[in-house]
Amino acid sequence: MSIWFGEPSVEWANSRSEQAMIRALGIEMTELTSDSLKGRMPVDHRTRQPAGVLHGGASVALAETLASWGASFTVDPEQFYCVGMEINANHVRPVADGWVYGEARPITRGRTTQVWDIRITDEQGRLVCVSRCTMAVLATPSQY
């Protein structure tokens, strides 16, 4: 059984990212499974630290992007929207080039908060970063 509300689209999410940091870092959503959202980010001049490896902040940006879109895809956008409340990350392996891949899965989806687990791996499938993001579920303001 799918966790998604309606029929969310990674293509639509990617198109909404054109004028945002998401696109500046090269982040893109790639796949929705029945219970996860997947994406990827290049390891290049945009996402490396001066020492030449993936910047931890870029990993956190990928993690929060996946959790944010994932949470947003689980609620009725006519009634709710989701924003990040807290995120943490453990960086466990350096990556110097190529791509990193993230997969976000909800740990819990409550009425007012959601908690997401995000795992980022390198091209060989090795764990690079593990993150947990708490999302607030807020009522959409009246549009009149």
Side-chain angles (χ1 to χ4, degrees):
M1 182 169 166
S2 174
I3 63 171
W4 312 117
F5 181 87
E7 296 182 27
S9 160
V10 295
E11 294 80 16
W12 179 81
N14 286 328
S15 74
R16 299 265 304 153
S17 304
E18 285 302 319
Q19 300 299 317
M21 182 184 75
I22 296 166
R23 184 61 66 231
L25 294 178
I27 294 170
E28 60 183 319
M29 275 57 70
T30 59
E31 181 184 357
L32 282 166
T33 71
S34 64
D35 69 344
S36 74
L37 174 60
K38 297 180 181 183
R40 68 182 190 161
M41 180 177 66
V43 181
D44 63 16
H45 68 280
R46 298 170 290 179
T47 59
R48 282 190 206 107
Q49 59 175 271
V53 296
L54 181 62
H55 193 292
S59 294
V60 172
L62 174 59
E64 187 156 354
T65 297
L66 293 172
S68 293
W69 276 114
S72 295
F73 285 162
T74 67
V75 299
D76 178 352
E78 298 290 321
Q79 297 184 52
F80 305 102
Y81 68 106
C82 299
V83 297
M85 290 176 60
E86 189 273 341
I87 189 164
N88 66 53
N90 295 101
H91 310 290
V92 297
R93 175 182 300 280
V95 179
D97 56 24
W99 290 86
V100 288
Y101 300 88
E103 185 168 14
R105 272 196 173 79
I107 296 170
T108 184
R109 294 184 300 122
R111 286 182 300 112
T112 59
T113 59
Q114 298 185 10
V115 179
W116 286 73
D117 175 71
I118 308 94
R119 296 189 177 265
I120 300 172
T121 57
D122 65 12
E123 292 177 317
Q124 290 76 44
R126 299 175 297 190
L127 189 63
V128 171
C129 176
V130 61
S131 180
R132 180 171 293 161
C133 187
T134 303
M135 302 296 299
V137 180
L138 304 172
T140 300
S142 173
Q143 299 296 313
Y144 72 93

